[in-house]
Amino acid sequence: MKPYRLALNGIALLLCALSASAHADKVRLEFWTDSLKPRFDGYFAQAKKTYEAQHPNVEVVWVDVFNDNFETKLNAAIAAGKPPALVNHDVPRLFKYAQKGTLLPLDAVLGADKAAYLPNTLTDLSFGGKLYGLPWYNNVNVLVINGDLFKKAGLDPNKPIKSLDEELQLAKAIKAKTGVAGLLPQLGQIDGIMLGQGLPLIENGKAVFNSPKHAALIRKFADAYKAGALAKDSLFADDNFQDSVKLYNSGRLAMMETAPTAAQKTQSDARGIYAATVVQPAPLGPTKIVQGGYLFSWAIAKGLPAATQQEAVKFAKFLTSDSQQLAFSKVTGATFPSTRQALNDGYFVKTSAGGGAIERSRIEGAKVAVNIRTLVLTGVPNVGDLKKNLVDNVEAAITGKKDPQKALDDAAAFWNRQLK
């Protein structure tokens, strides 16, 4: 029996060696996301399982990093020469790392697949004529309306609202007739609002947001503020989503121009208001760009081994494919894909009996999703300081502490000193 046992042992050792060798030959593909655990554990587990089944030579490793530590950890990995193969970047961070020269330009590797993505998303991820990320999921604002408050003010909540001017006029009418604030705009993002209204921030290296047209926009907000039409909670904060939802759900705000996720909170926290809620597309400015766009992408590290880079490109295409983007949108329930085919799926088009405001938010958002742009300031030094100075001056103008033209002149002078 001994020779037989020895033979079996030898075969077992050989199989183990072969298995270890096969595992060692696999391409290890580490990809990082930003604060997506634990909600999306199931989605990424399935994506990993599907991709590894299709590519048995690849081992996919998911690492999720909390937002506050993301850049610190990424910088350390890059400095150590061990960057993740793929990284989940928003537009400002993508631009920052493209400037640092740490990302692979993707135009050549994307090839004919480029046609699958919405053109605006490719524009958002292109700097200096080169594409640095594959478009993933996007956000968009919709206009959520308390139909009961509109009717109380003698207004039709189903009448299309087509411009910011109309929103502000309605907000003033609602305040005058019901005593309730009409709108809580995100004035901490005034740079994006200006861009959405076709008003540039910088031209030829100089700040140009102190033109008469820019000042007229600020005066419109100041007039609405003076009339009490604008809610004051976090009016000038960088993000006032939570306050906006809280006010709306308590009947103290008539309109929210906000992300579709707001309707989910209204359904759970204020069923009566949810039943009266009407959803419209957010008004497009003269640029025909809808507010609220914030695109996330997959970027590939420069300097990877050839085999790893090749697989990283394939995996990025997989994660941004029609099927995967659609699957991710269904998990979030409120984000939008950046590929043409996924956006045209019935999930974003067809209504169902009793779908309510959540479904309407998804469908109305999808109607304008081709017009999404991520309207943020990039490509200049000290972006945070520039933006804070502009917002501080705009706040002074809207609250009546400064003349709007003087406030914008002061901000432009500060910007130009910094830009030099």
Side-chain angles (χ1 to χ4, degrees):
M1 295 295 292
K2 287 184 180 179
Y4 177 69
R5 286 182 178 177
L6 287 173
L8 285 178
N9 289 339
I11 291 171
L13 289 170
L14 177 61
L15 289 173
C16 287
L18 290 172
S19 175
S21 175
H23 184 76
D25 290 338
K26 282 190 174 185
V27 175
R28 186 179 187 276
L29 209 56
E30 183 176 311
F31 71 102
W32 286 18
T33 56
D34 186 339
S35 307
L36 295 185
K37 277 183 170 289
R39 183 179 177 189
F40 300 103
D41 286 1
Y43 170 81
F44 283 110
Q46 185 59 50
K48 169 183 168 70
K49 181 179 178 181
T50 301
Y51 192 80
E52 288 181 342
Q54 296 172 356
H55 301 81
N57 64 314
V58 177
E59 178 192 7
V60 173
V61 180
W62 176 32
V63 176
D64 189 68
V65 181
F66 187 66
N67 183 268
D68 288 353
N69 301 319
F70 197 96
E71 290 193 31
T72 300
K73 290 191 174 183
L74 181 57
N75 291 341
I78 292 170
K82 297 179 179 180
L86 270 74
V87 182
N88 167 211
H89 283 310
D90 60 16
V91 172
R93 197 167 63 209
L94 181 80
F95 183 82
K96 183 185 297 185
Y97 283 92
Q99 277 190 315
K100 290 181 178 181
T102 64
L103 301 180
L104 180 73
L106 300 174
D107 302 86
V109 298
L110 190 54
D113 293 335
K114 195 172 185 177
Y117 302 96
L118 298 173
N120 278 0
T121 64
L122 296 171
T123 301
D124 277 351
L125 303 175
S126 297
F127 311 112
K130 295 180 179 180
L131 179 70
Y132 285 98
L134 294 192
W136 191 25
Y137 71 92
N138 216 332
N139 297 276
V140 63
N141 281 356
V142 293
L143 189 61
V144 178
I145 295 167
N146 184 321
D148 286 344
L149 282 174
F150 262 60
K151 291 173 184 176
K152 187 177 178 181
L155 302 169
D156 180 2
N158 294 297
K159 183 180 179 182
I161 301 170
K162 298 182 178 180
S163 69
L164 174 61
D165 285 354
E166 285 186 46
E167 280 183 287
L168 294 176
Q169 289 300 322
L170 288 168
K172 287 191 279 189
I174 289 165
K175 176 63 178 179
K177 295 180 181 179
T178 70
V180 175
L183 193 65
L184 179 56
Q186 197 172 349
L187 294 179
Q189 300 286 350
I190 189 63
D191 51 334
I193 293 173
M194 287 178 173
L195 291 171
Q197 293 298 309
L199 302 173
L201 300 174
I202 297 173
E203 289 182 348
N204 300 317
K206 293 187 67 178
V208 293
F209 52 73
N210 58 335
S211 78
K213 288 184 178 180
H214 290 78
L217 173 67
I218 301 306
R219 285 195 180 92
K220 291 174 186 177
F221 283 117
D223 289 344
Y225 181 89
K226 187 176 181 180
L230 306 184
K232 296 180 180 180
D233 305 59
S234 305
L235 180 58
F236 300 97
D238 190 60
D239 181 3
N240 58 19
F241 174 79
Q242 296 296 340
D243 282 322
S244 184
V245 173
K246 189 183 301 181
L247 289 170
Y248 183 83
N249 290 353
S250 62
R252 294 179 290 154
L253 188 66
M255 293 181 285
M256 291 190 293
E257 188 175 321
T258 187
T261 47
Q264 298 172 354
K265 291 286 291 179
T266 303
Q267 184 190 43
S268 62
D269 298 348
R271 291 189 174 274
I273 291 175
Y274 181 80
T277 292
V278 175
V279 182
Q280 297 189 20
L284 301 181
T287 58
K288 302 304 179 186
I289 294 172
V290 68
Q291 295 287 324
Y294 205 78
L295 177 65
F296 287 84
S297 67
W298 289 105
I300 298 171
K302 186 182 284 187
L304 297 172
T308 306
Q309 178 182 301
Q310 183 180 16
E311 294 299 337
V313 171
K314 290 180 185 177
F315 189 54
K317 289 182 179 181
F318 169 79
L319 289 174
T320 61
S321 64
D322 295 308
S323 60
Q324 287 299 312
Q325 293 223 31
L326 180 59
F328 189 78
S329 293
K330 288 181 178 180
V331 174
T332 68
T335 60
F336 298 87
S338 56
T339 61
R340 301 172 190 270
Q341 185 175 322
L343 189 60
N344 288 327
D345 187 84
Y347 179 70
F348 295 105
V349 179
K350 296 176 183 176
T351 58
S352 60
I358 291 176
E359 185 178 81
R360 293 309 313 171
S361 294
R362 181 171 70 243
I363 291 171
E364 296 301 335
K367 287 179 181 178
V368 295
V370 294
N371 297 314
I372 303 174
R373 289 293 310 276
T374 303
L375 299 176
V376 294
L377 182 65
T378 58
V380 293
N382 305 317
V383 171
D385 292 341
L386 296 179
K387 185 172 177 177
K388 183 180 185 306
N389 182 272
L390 176 59
V391 172
D392 287 349
N393 273 287
V394 166
E395 180 177 1
I398 290 174
T399 57
K401 296 174 184 175
K402 263 189 182 182
D403 173 75
Q405 185 64 63
K406 174 70 164 58
L408 294 182
D409 286 342
D410 288 350
F414 176 85
W415 278 46
N416 288 332
R417 288 194 298 272
Q418 295 294 313
L419 292 171
K420 283 182 180 179

